[in-house]
Amino acid sequence: MTEIEKLLQEEQQKGLASLEAVTDAETLDAWKQNYLGKSSLVMTTFGKMGSFSKEERPLVGRAVNTVKVALESALAGKEETIRQESLLKGIEKETLDVTLPGYPIKRGRLHPINLSLREIYRIFGDMGFQVYSSPEVETDDMNFTFLNIPPYHPARDMWDTFYTEDESVVLRTHTSPGQIRSMREYYPNPLRVILPGACMRYEQQDQSHEIEFMQFELLVVDKNITFADLKGTMDDFTKRMFGPDARTRLRPSHFPFTEPSAELDMACIFCGGEGCGVCHGTGWLELGGCGMVHPRVLQYGGYDPEVYSGFAAGVGIDRTTLLRYHIDDIRYLRANDIRFLEQF
Ligand code: PHE
């Protein structure tokens, strides 16, 4: 063994032994400089390979490589140990206060119209009604003709209608076209449905009128349905919605798709029927239209009017919401003002 090989072997033993004593990153750095740095024995030996004889060169080369690999792998092991230890120390020092309150969660709210809608579903659900959805963009036939309002009939003037470029397609002016759709789907079974949804009318907007508004339609078709069923159901609904003291009346009216027809009025909840600004001095508030389903409409729905009868009603959900929460302008409902919506 040559002198240099012996030196290298000693260097390895010294290096490994002194590495044992190293416990922190700084000392490890110094050790690295010492044994593997530019002026370490290992590196300087690499630098002067040319000065060895042809016979010595492979022997020295092999020896210095062995030492380098041994020192480097010991270094890597030590680095890992130190990293693990400092991690553990950090975890031990850290404290976690599990009693600290969490970050508050911002809660969303239901829109007042949806609050009313849920109440309506609950009330009619209790009475055995099912919810049936039907399209907001309708055919002219569904919105008018099948509801006993033929083309060009002046009764169409009751609704200021949005037509589309295709004249046979309209934005529905009421939820009544759902009567035809639900009858055609349920035929020949008896049915008891509510049809909620948006309706559109080309009207001047003011405190109590919006271009878009919500309605729900009520439809019952069965054998032996009478006007008394209509009256009882509407009165019961009003009391469940506005409280047991609510009083209703049916006022004679006209709709092409019901016969006889009526308006459902509720005694003004603001003045108790005395007459005030909200009820325009009449003592009554209008909730919606209703009546016995016209025989021709039953026929359009597929039912034989000699065997079946039914009643229908259309109630404004926006109106109902204004009354429930004492809101004085319908336009608040769609203005999307968070200061208004936060109150519900
Ligand atoms: N569709 C009517 C309207 O919106 C209301 C209504 C529905 C009347 C059902 C009678 C029966 O004006």
Side-chain angles (χ1 to χ4, degrees):
M1 200 185 280
T2 59
E3 186 66 16
I4 182 73
E5 284 175 280
K6 220 186 265 160
L7 278 174
L8 281 165
Q9 225 171 46
E10 279 169 23
E11 178 81 348
Q12 178 175 341
Q13 279 158 9
K14 249 180 22 193
L16 294 180
S18 67
L19 190 60
E20 293 281 307
V22 172
T23 53
D24 59 83
E26 290 85 66
T27 338
L28 188 64
D29 234 38
W31 181 91
K32 201 168 154 184
Q33 284 304 316
N34 232 337
Y35 289 94
L36 290 164
K38 245 193 252 157
S39 45
S40 62
L41 181 64
V42 170
M43 289 318 197
T44 51
T45 307
F46 275 118
K48 57 180 190 202
M49 287 303 281
S51 64
F52 297 110
S53 70
K54 231 169 119 195
E55 294 76 33
E56 279 177 323
R57 220 175 285 153
L59 298 174
V60 176
R62 200 177 308 140
V64 71
N65 249 322
T66 311
V67 176
K68 184 169 178 265
V69 169
L71 292 174
E72 274 175 351
S73 79
L75 169 69
K78 196 63 168 187
E79 272 171 346
E80 179 59 18
T81 313
I82 288 176
R83 205 181 61 80
Q84 293 282 353
E85 276 169 0
S86 80
L87 203 70
L88 264 173
K89 259 190 233 145
I91 291 171
E92 273 165 23
K93 266 206 300 220
E94 220 171 75
T95 51
L96 175 66
D97 185 353
V98 293
T99 66
L100 276 176
Y103 295 106
I105 296 166
K106 281 206 173 144
R107 283 177 154 243
R109 299 172 143 72
L110 287 177
H111 191 279
I113 288 184
N114 279 326
L115 291 171
S116 299
L117 202 52
R118 290 197 176 187
E119 188 64 8
I120 291 163
Y121 287 165
R122 194 187 63 73
I123 292 169
F124 285 106
D126 281 353
M127 297 189 205
F129 283 77
Q130 280 182 294
V131 177
Y132 186 92
S133 11
S134 76
E136 294 171 358
V137 179
E138 263 298 4
T139 63
D140 178 279
D141 283 343
M142 287 286 176
N143 198 79
F144 294 120
T145 312
F146 300 153
L147 293 170
N148 196 28
I149 316 168
Y152 305 109
H153 195 281
R156 290 199 173 200
D157 292 348
M158 284 175 80
W159 298 272
D160 293 305
T161 310
F162 283 108
Y163 287 87
T164 65
E165 278 174 12
D166 177 350
E167 263 178 56
S168 64
V169 178
V170 302
L171 305 187
R172 68 173 173 189
T173 57
H174 47 185
T175 45
S176 301
Q179 289 189 28
I180 304 293
R181 290 188 180 272
S182 56
M183 277 193 274
R184 288 186 178 181
E185 183 158 330
Y186 278 79
Y187 177 83
N189 301 301
L191 77 154
R192 204 183 280 196
V193 289
I194 59 170
L195 310 118
C199 305
M200 272 68 64
R201 286 182 199 173
Y202 186 43
E203 286 181 340
Q204 178 72 45
Q205 287 172 278
D206 64 22
Q207 211 174 314
S208 48
H209 294 86
E210 273 271 34
I211 279 178
E212 184 192 329
F213 59 98
M214 298 274 288
Q215 264 193 350
F216 72 89
E217 193 86 1
L218 202 65
L219 177 66
V220 175
V221 176
D222 204 342
K223 290 172 182 156
N224 306 314
I225 299 295
T226 69
F227 200 84
D229 295 313
L230 164 64
K231 191 166 189 281
T233 305
M234 297 320 286
D235 187 66
D236 196 23
F237 160 69
T238 311
K239 287 185 162 60
R240 291 192 199 206
M241 193 74 185
F242 294 100
D245 295 332
R247 279 186 297 127
T248 59
R249 73 173 182 188
L250 291 175
R251 173 165 46 89
S253 185
H254 170 75
F255 294 100
F257 33 90
T258 44
E259 182 59 37
S261 304
E263 300 285 349
L264 172 71
D265 290 343
M266 170 173 70
C268 181
I269 50 174
F270 297 98
C271 62
E274 295 289 306
C276 67
V278 180
C279 60
H280 304 293
T282 64
W284 296 93
L285 299 164
E286 188 184 311
L287 292 183
C290 57
M292 301 307 289
V293 182
H294 193 287
R296 203 166 290 154
V297 174
L298 282 173
Q299 264 168 346
Y300 275 123
Y303 290 82
D304 180 356
E306 298 295 332
V307 183
Y308 289 91
S309 56
F311 72 80
V315 177
I317 298 175
D318 300 48
R319 288 278 173 85
T320 308
T321 305
L322 301 189
L323 295 174
R324 253 182 115 209
Y325 295 110
H326 295 209
I327 300 164
D328 56 18
D329 195 319
I330 198 169
R331 289 167 294 194
Y332 282 128
L333 294 178
R334 285 174 187 74
N336 232 358
D337 186 335
I338 202 84
R339 292 169 302 177
F340 168 76
L341 297 169
E342 265 176 354
Q343 299 174 51
F344 300 92

